[in-house]
Amino acid sequence: MFKISTVRKAFVRQLSTFDCGPACLSMILNYAGRGSEIAAFRNRVVVSDFGMSLFEMANQAKFLGFECRCVEMSLNYLKNLRKPIILHVLNQHKEYHYLVCFGSRTKKGKVEFLLSDPARQVFYCDENQLDAMWESKAALYFDNLPHQPANNFKLKWIWKSFRNLVPTALWCSIPLINIGALFCGIAITWTLQQGLKDSPMNKSMSYLIALPILLLIISMFKSLLGFVRQLILLKINTRISLEFTSRFIENILGQPGCGIIDSNFTNLKQGLNDTHKIQTGLATFVSCMFTEGSFLFSALVLLAYFFPLGCFFVVLYILVSVFLIIKDYPKASYLYAERHDAFANARQKIIAEIPLLNKSDSATKSEKIIAHQNLHECYIYSESKIGMVTVRQNLLLECIGNCMVIAVFTIGLLRLEKSMDYTTFMISVVLAYLVNSILPRLSASYFIVAEAVDSALQHSINFP
């Protein structure tokens, strides 16, 4: 049984509705360690409006040097298979479709198959669900299929461009600005605490005038730091967008025929979409690492200095949260891909059939309208599933974080007046609470960055 992380590295997304066959063969190429051949193969293959038959896919696979045959297979035999096989199935729209099965596992007494759907992503499918969609029991079986790690995608150009986009001074300035803003916040708290320590009646008039002026100066300086930080982030994001858009256009126009697969320029549209995701992911990474990330690092340093035991609980909370976020990512990624597929399918269907509706009779027109409503309902349902996964994960992270804050508060309370003063106690509790409030935002950013990495992999396939 393959790990889902291994299968995700071999995943190749289809570029159009009828491109699922070549995408599945591309996954087999990637599985065999021949990922560098995918772009040339997909540019060479011409897919009709009816897709590819299983016999045509077998011929293409043999042309690529694979030993394969079209077979009819039972579900029980598929359970014991330990290598990839392409299945001929019906998708959720009752249309013929291809996907790759990478084996099965038994979990809680139930058999689950690890499937790689080129229209969506990698996911586990239970036995009954696969049996329902795999009506034909037809498959493309590969003999003597070699397995090499799918490590042919070069992402060094992303890191090199990312590193050279902005001068080092700008990278260093954002964490320093954040630390300055943090100390401004501490200064405001300390000033208020000192000002309210005694009764205002015991203060001189000059002191009462100086206190709000000092608060105003510190607050304005903190706001100015925030403004400068946003300007720097905006400059970085602009440079990222210009760099990757220019690179994509140069790749498309500088190499004749590169990436242009069909007359609808589907690959071009997907490439632009991937470029946009990469830009968004890099911008999100920069924004989080140099804002919430730098604050999180500063909070851990302060906790380690003032309250090491409390810092241990905070670090443990972060590690558990990171584990849960990474564990849930494959499911969330599949749901995002499912939403995109539902939207693209609904959009493509309605664009294709709008010219035909006026020529149809009332009964046919009513059926078409109902069918389109069902497609858009699938999209809305996909949106709700993504929202439910996000809400549940945030709730779990906040519950674990609340337990962490209570643990820090309880341990600090027990050590109060013995080895810890009240100010250190309150600073530690406030920092633990702030970490608890920041981490769910970082988890949402993680999904955006991870999707950008996936898009970068797909971009490297089509535009090597």
Side-chain angles (χ1 to χ4, degrees), residues 27 98 106 115 150 256 398:
M27 291 189 218
Y98 293 107
T106 302
L115 305 179
E398 288 181 5

Side-chain angles (χ1 to χ4, degrees), residues 15 43 259-262 265-272 462-463:
L15 300 173
N43 282 329
I260 308 300
I261 285 183
D262 57 17
F265 302 101
T266 309
N267 201 18
L268 183 61
K269 297 173 185 176
Q270 291 286 358
L272 286 171
N462 299 312
F463 307 101

Side-chain angles (χ1 to χ4, degrees), residues 359-384:
K359 302 177 182 179
S360 305
D361 54 60
S362 58
T364 304
K365 190 173 183 179
S366 178
E367 291 177 2
K368 294 289 186 182
I369 291 174
I370 293 174
H372 287 301
Q373 288 175 344
N374 292 335
L375 289 174
H376 284 279
E377 285 176 4
C378 290
Y379 170 70
I380 294 171
Y381 180 64
S382 300
E383 285 277 5
S384 66

Side-chain angles (χ1 to χ4, degrees), residues 317 393-394 397-398 435-445:
Y317 161 63
Q393 186 184 75
N394 287 340
L397 293 180
E398 288 181 5
V435 170
N436 181 31
S437 64
I438 285 175
L439 214 57
R441 295 205 300 270
L442 289 177
S443 71
S445 301

Side-chain angles (χ1 to χ4, degrees), residues 24 85-87 89 97-101 115-118 123 133:
C24 288
I85 183 171
I86 298 177
L87 305 181
V89 300
H97 187 55
Y98 293 107
L99 50 79
V100 184
C101 178
L115 305 179
S116 185
D117 187 346
F123 67 104
M133 72 170 69

Side-chain angles (χ1 to χ4, degrees), residues 238-256:
T238 302
R239 289 197 176 189
I240 289 172
S241 299
L242 290 174
E243 169 72 16
F244 286 98
T245 302
S246 300
R247 184 188 183 278
F248 175 75
I249 293 175
E250 181 182 354
N251 202 331
I252 287 293
L253 301 180
Q255 303 178 22

Side-chain angles (χ1 to χ4, degrees), residues 116-172:
S116 185
D117 187 346
R120 299 182 179 184
Q121 253 290 351
V122 181
F123 67 104
Y124 286 105
C125 175
D126 62 62
E127 184 177 2
N128 295 330
Q129 185 180 356
L130 180 59
D131 188 43
M133 72 170 69
W134 193 30
E135 292 182 354
S136 66
K137 298 299 183 289
L140 186 61
Y141 180 83
F142 293 87
D143 299 295
N144 304 319
L145 185 63
H147 175 47
Q148 297 291 334
N151 58 357
N152 297 303
F153 302 139
K154 307 298 183 182
L155 301 183
K156 292 180 180 178
W157 62 271
I158 295 180
W159 167 246
K160 184 178 179 180
S161 301
F162 179 63
R163 185 183 57 189
N164 296 330
L165 280 175
V166 184
T168 307
L170 284 184
W171 295 120
C172 298

